[in-house]
């Protein structure tokens, strides 16, 4: 049974620990012998790493050590190490040695939020003294989690942040492979993937056809009693009315039942202008509340009645009667799904 899971890439690449190569065993040995000397003399650890870390070790000897550790079961290597490491941590309760906050994994691994007993970090001070400390995990909001998850996703699919602005992710695509279920949509609703340098469908991995520039957009989440009900993706110039009753560009709250009886027929309009969400109360009977996020307090201010059309900031919440809430997601790759 392992009591410690080591984020090997994080540790082997940390230049503050000395060593010369991009990835260096000297760093790993230094920190793990400190762990054994000061934290747990009987520790039985497991190293976890991405497959591609192997080639960052500079010498044939260092790469041989990798191979031997994999063979002996002391090192697990996977295409994407983080989910493997976190799943083990969750099921075994082992500690984790890493500098990563794993923010992008927190929707799946909610146990990380505020955890104050499992995550350890190493520190090197100016006199080159090493210390290993327990690091309580900060609780992060949904917006931050979504954004971090998308960043991880983007990396896994072969794209960088620049690609969103002026690269392949600034375009929209269509899958034209008739045997692929993604081809049913006029526009690919999910982020494409890079396969052998070409932009491809994540379902069938065949090249996709560009369908023009992707307009700036936002993804909105509708929550009822803090449970996510639906997500709506809107692009610049599009709008959505929340209210009672069906229709184009409307979200019919009557479908939710009794909870929403205080919501007006035309309650609030959400539109995207210049990539920002603008909210406008449509003279609703019971009004719409706007709760602004306070970065200094890391909490929402009490809701104020929405009087004029207002541009929402990233983490603001719109509160409708009956515990219906609208929030933005941190997603940046947004393809409109409302015409
Ligand atoms: Zn496809």
């Amino acid at each position: 049974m392992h009591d410690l899971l080591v984020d090997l890439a994080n540790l082997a690449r940390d230049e503050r620990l000395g060593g010369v190569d991009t990835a260096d065993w000297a760093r790993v040995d230094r920190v793990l012998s400190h762990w054994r000397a000061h934290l747990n003399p009987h520790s039985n650890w497991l190293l976890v790493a991405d497959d591609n870390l192997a080639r960052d070790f500079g010498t044939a000897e260092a790469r041989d050590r990798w191979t031997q550790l994999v063979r002996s079961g002391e090192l697990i290597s996977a295409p994407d190490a983080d989910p493997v490491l976190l799943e083990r941590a969750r099921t075994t309760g082992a500690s984790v040695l890493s500098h990563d906050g794993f923010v992008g994994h927190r929707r799946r691994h909610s146990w990380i939020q505020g955890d104050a007993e499992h995550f350890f970090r190493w520190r090197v001070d100016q006199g080159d003294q090493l210390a290993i400390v327990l690091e309580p995990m900060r609780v992060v909001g949904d917006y931050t989690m979504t954004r971090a998850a998308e960043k991880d996703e983007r990396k896994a699919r072969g794209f960088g942040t620049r690609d969103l602005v002026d690269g392949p992710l600034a375009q929209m695509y269509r899958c034209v492979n008739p045997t692929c279920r993604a081809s049913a949509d006029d526009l690919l609703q999910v982020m494409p993937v890079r396969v052998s340098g070409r932009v491809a469908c994540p379902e069938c991995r065949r090249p996709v056809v560009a369908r023009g520039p992707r307009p700036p957009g936002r993804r909105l989440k509708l929550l009822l009693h803090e449970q996510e009900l639906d997500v709506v993706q809107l692009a610049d110039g599009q709008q959505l009315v929340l209210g009672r009753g069906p229709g184009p560009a409307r979200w019919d709250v009557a479908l939710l039942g009794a909870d929403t009886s205080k919501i007006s027929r035309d309650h609030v309009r959400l539109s995207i202008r210049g990539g920002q969400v603008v909210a406008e109360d449509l003279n609703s009977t019971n009004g719409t509340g706007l709760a602004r996020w306070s970065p200094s307090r890391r909490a929402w201010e009490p809701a104020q009645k929405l009087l004029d059309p207002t541009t929402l900031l990233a983490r603001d919440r719109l509160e409708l009667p009956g515990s219906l809430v609208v929030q933005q997601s941190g997603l940046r790759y947004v393809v409109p799904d409302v015409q």
Side-chain angles (χ1 to χ4, degrees), residues 50-207:
D50 289 339
D51 294 335
N52 64 20
L53 178 68
R55 52 172 188 261
D56 285 354
F57 286 98
T59 63
E61 196 186 353
R63 287 189 291 273
D64 278 351
R65 182 168 166 191
W66 170 285
T67 311
Q68 279 163 24
L69 287 168
V70 170
R71 228 173 261 152
S72 67
E74 292 165 86
L75 165 60
I76 289 187
S77 135
D80 188 5
D82 288 352
V84 175
L85 184 146
L86 292 175
E87 195 51 32
R88 287 228 169 202
R90 188 183 70 79
T91 54
T92 66
S95 298
V96 174
L97 186 59
S98 175
H99 271 245
D100 197 332
F102 302 104
V103 174
H105 296 274
R106 293 202 191 179
R107 294 195 80 180
R108 181 177 296 254
H109 289 281
S110 55
W111 61 275
I112 301 174
Q113 293 270 60
D115 179 279
E117 51 183 319
H118 291 100
F119 291 87
F120 289 82
R121 294 187 172 198
W122 59 92
R123 273 192 205 143
V124 187
D125 72 12
Q126 283 162 350
D128 199 35
Q129 283 289 317
L130 179 67
I132 298 179
V133 291
L134 184 62
E135 182 83 13
M137 292 303 229
R138 203 161 54 86
V139 175
V140 298
D142 192 63
Y143 181 89
T144 309
M145 279 194 269
T146 317
R147 179 155 287 205
E150 190 190 58
K151 191 176 169 202
D152 292 349
E153 178 83 46
R154 211 160 57 219
K155 210 174 115 196
R157 292 188 184 213
F159 299 106
T161 306
R162 291 295 312 169
D163 290 331
L164 270 169
V165 186
D166 52 14
L169 297 185
Q171 299 285 315
M172 298 186 289
Y173 296 95
R174 175 165 195 181
C175 172
V176 290
N177 169 14
T179 64
C180 173
R181 64 189 167 129
S183 70
D185 291 322
D186 188 41
L187 292 172
L188 199 62
Q189 291 295 318
V190 289
M191 192 186 293
V193 59
R194 213 193 284 265
V195 177
S196 311
R198 299 184 69 178
V199 182
C201 169
E203 292 275 341
C204 63
R205 301 184 70 81
R206 303 263 283 270

Side-chain angles (χ1 to χ4, degrees), residues 91 95 131 150 169 176 189 214 221 234 251 264 302 304 326 332:
T91 54
S95 298
E150 190 190 58
L169 297 185
V176 290
Q189 291 295 318
R214 188 173 53 81
K221 293 194 208 183
L234 294 177
W251 204 94
S264 298
Q304 304 286 319
V326 179
R332 297 179 69 189

